[in-house]
């Protein structure tokens, strides 16, 4: 018997909620009423998690040669909304409403990425279209995955047996289907338990490498300064050599993860390395 909370009705209901939220937005979220593009200092903190998510999604940097939809790190939200308990509570609510998904990242740290469900489904659709012309791929499993797995399994991970049960609602499941989902970048096996999978964001590998390198580069830059600090405004304008992400992306991440902190001064916000 189908769970009414995870059936097609719930999926269409959550889609309507997302559309209603979209219709409420009249101006681009990273600009003011006059269309002026806001600096990081001008929109550094927010009172609402969804507003913060929308602004950071709009500010996600364009990455050459990598087809990945915008995502936001949980640490970036922690830097932008003062109450971390509020962030976690609102993220959980948005996750259950199927507005967004949360992914555990393979960075060696406790990193989590947040992606709007519409963006994630769009990325799966792109993969499906790319594979359609190749006869060796049974792309029907991508549709099964989208309709039966993504719509009902909201956690960051899933067991092999449950995955096969959900996929079988679309058709007969073969080992090749699971292999295709892994090769497409939608799943990865957990190292500790090979019968469990993490849901993953396709094409994110090179971006994660740049994320780690950019963190090190920014911290190294600030550590070389006399007082290990710099005003936020000029720091935001600097470019990183080793990361495809921009300075704003890395500053929000490192402030939210506690590696950097800010202090208000008469001249504006100061960014300082946190002493270990």
């Amino acid at each position: 018997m189908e769970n009414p909370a995870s059936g097609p009705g719930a999926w269409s209901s959550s889609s309507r909620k997302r559309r209603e939220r979209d219709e409420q937005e009249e101006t681009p979220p990273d600009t003011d009423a006059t269309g002026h593009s806001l600096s990081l200092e001008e929109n550094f903190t927010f009172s609402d998690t969804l507003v913060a998510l929308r602004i950071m999604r709009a500010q996600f940097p364009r990455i050459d040669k990598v087809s990945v939809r915008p995502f936001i790190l949980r640490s970036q939200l922690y830097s932008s909304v003062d109450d971390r308990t509020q962030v976690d509570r609102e993220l959980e609510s948005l996750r259950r409403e199927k507005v967004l998904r949360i992914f555990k990242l393979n960075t060696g740290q406790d990193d989590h990425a947040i992606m709007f469900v519409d963006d994630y489904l769009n990325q799966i659709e792109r993969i499906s279209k790319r594979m359609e012309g190749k006869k060796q791929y049974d792309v029907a499993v991508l549709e099964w995955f989208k309709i039966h797995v993504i719509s009902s399994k909201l956690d960051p991970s899933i067991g092999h047996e449950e995955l096969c049960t959900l996929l079988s609602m679309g058709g007969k499941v073969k080992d090749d289907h699971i292999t295709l989902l892994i090769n497409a970048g939608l799943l990865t096996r957990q190292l500790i338990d090979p019968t469990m999978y993490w849901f993953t964001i396709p094409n994110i590998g090179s971006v994660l490498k740049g994320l780690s390198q950019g963190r090190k580069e920014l911290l190294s830059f600030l550590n070389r300064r006399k007082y290990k600090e710099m005003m936020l405004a000029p720091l935001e304008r600097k470019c990183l050599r080793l990361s495809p992400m921009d300075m704003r992306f890395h500053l929000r991440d490192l402030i939210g993860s506690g590696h950097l902190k800010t202090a208000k001064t008469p001249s504006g916000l100061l960014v300082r390395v946190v002493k270990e």
Side-chain angles (χ1 to χ4, degrees):
M1 182 175 177
E2 188 178 49
N3 181 357
S6 61
W11 189 239
S12 59
S13 173
S14 65
S15 297
R16 282 198 301 273
K17 289 180 182 177
R18 290 197 295 276
R19 283 199 300 272
E20 288 167 6
R21 286 193 176 95
D22 289 339
E23 289 166 2
Q24 290 169 4
E25 292 205 340
E26 296 178 355
T27 58
D30 61 340
T31 59
D32 62 16
T34 65
H36 168 68
S37 182
L38 300 174
S39 69
L40 180 55
E41 192 160 347
E42 289 173 305
N43 61 354
F44 189 67
T45 58
F46 313 96
S47 59
D48 179 84
T49 302
L50 184 58
V51 171
L53 284 165
R54 288 197 179 281
I55 288 177
M56 283 185 265
R57 181 197 178 280
Q59 293 174 343
F60 189 80
R62 297 184 184 279
I63 305 172
D64 293 336
K65 300 178 182 178
V66 178
S67 177
V68 63
R69 301 298 294 164
F71 63 88
I72 300 95
L73 299 176
R74 189 193 292 263
S75 57
Q76 292 172 320
L77 284 177
Y78 286 159
S79 76
S80 306
V81 182
D82 290 335
D83 188 342
R84 293 192 175 202
T85 302
Q86 175 191 341
V87 170
D88 291 339
R89 185 173 61 248
E90 291 177 348
L91 278 181
E92 178 62 17
S93 175
L94 291 166
R95 185 181 72 90
R96 289 186 178 279
E97 289 177 23
K98 301 178 184 178
V99 174
L100 52 81
R101 289 191 72 89
I102 300 174
F103 300 86
K104 175 79 172 68
L105 297 182
N106 183 26
T107 57
Q109 300 185 33
D110 188 27
D111 288 322
H112 291 82
I114 300 146
M115 182 178 277
F116 283 95
V117 166
D118 287 343
D119 283 331
Y120 185 54
L121 294 176
N122 178 277
Q123 189 138 356
I124 296 174
E125 190 65 29
R126 289 184 181 188
I127 292 169
S128 181
K129 286 180 179 178
R130 195 171 67 241
M131 289 183 166
E132 273 176 0
K134 301 177 181 179
K135 293 182 179 179
Q136 69 266 37
Y137 296 123
D138 185 358
V139 296
V141 71
L142 295 174
E143 197 67 17
W144 306 345
F145 182 78
K146 190 167 63 174
I147 294 173
H148 303 295
V149 180
I150 296 302
S151 64
S152 58
K153 186 63 176 179
L154 309 181
D155 298 333
S157 62
I158 188 170
H160 181 80
E161 189 174 331
E162 184 179 9
L163 174 64
C164 291
T165 298
L166 291 172
L167 287 174
S168 67
M169 295 170 69
K172 187 175 180 180
V173 182
K174 305 173 185 176
D175 289 343
D176 287 350
H177 288 140
I178 307 300
T179 301
L180 187 147
L181 292 172
I182 293 172
N183 291 341
L186 294 166
L187 294 172
T188 185
R189 291 186 191 275
Q190 293 189 16
L191 296 176
I192 298 174
D193 183 354
T195 66
M196 292 292 294
Y197 305 91
W198 293 112
F199 289 103
T200 50
I201 299 173
N203 304 326
I204 201 174
S206 61
V207 178
L208 293 186
K209 181 180 178 182
L211 173 63
S212 299
Q213 291 178 328
R215 285 169 168 169
K216 294 175 183 176
E217 185 179 353
L218 176 51
L219 288 171
S220 175
F221 171 77
L222 288 173
N223 276 314
R224 291 196 306 271
R225 295 180 66 84
K226 186 175 181 181
Y227 297 109
K228 300 185 178 183
E229 61 187 35
M230 188 172 178
M231 298 304 296
L232 176 61
L235 181 57
E236 184 188 357
R237 292 194 292 269
K238 289 198 168 292
C239 294
L240 295 166
R241 295 180 300 104
L242 303 178
S243 173
M245 320 306 284
D246 59 17
M247 184 63 82
R248 183 189 313 223
F249 189 95
H250 285 287
L251 282 168
R252 286 198 187 280
D253 167 45
L254 288 171
I255 292 167
S257 62
H259 290 87
L260 300 176
K261 63 180 179 180
T262 59
K264 291 183 179 179
T265 75
S267 304
L269 282 178
L270 180 74
V271 179
R272 180 181 294 137
V273 176
V274 174
K275 295 178 180 177
E276 295 183 358

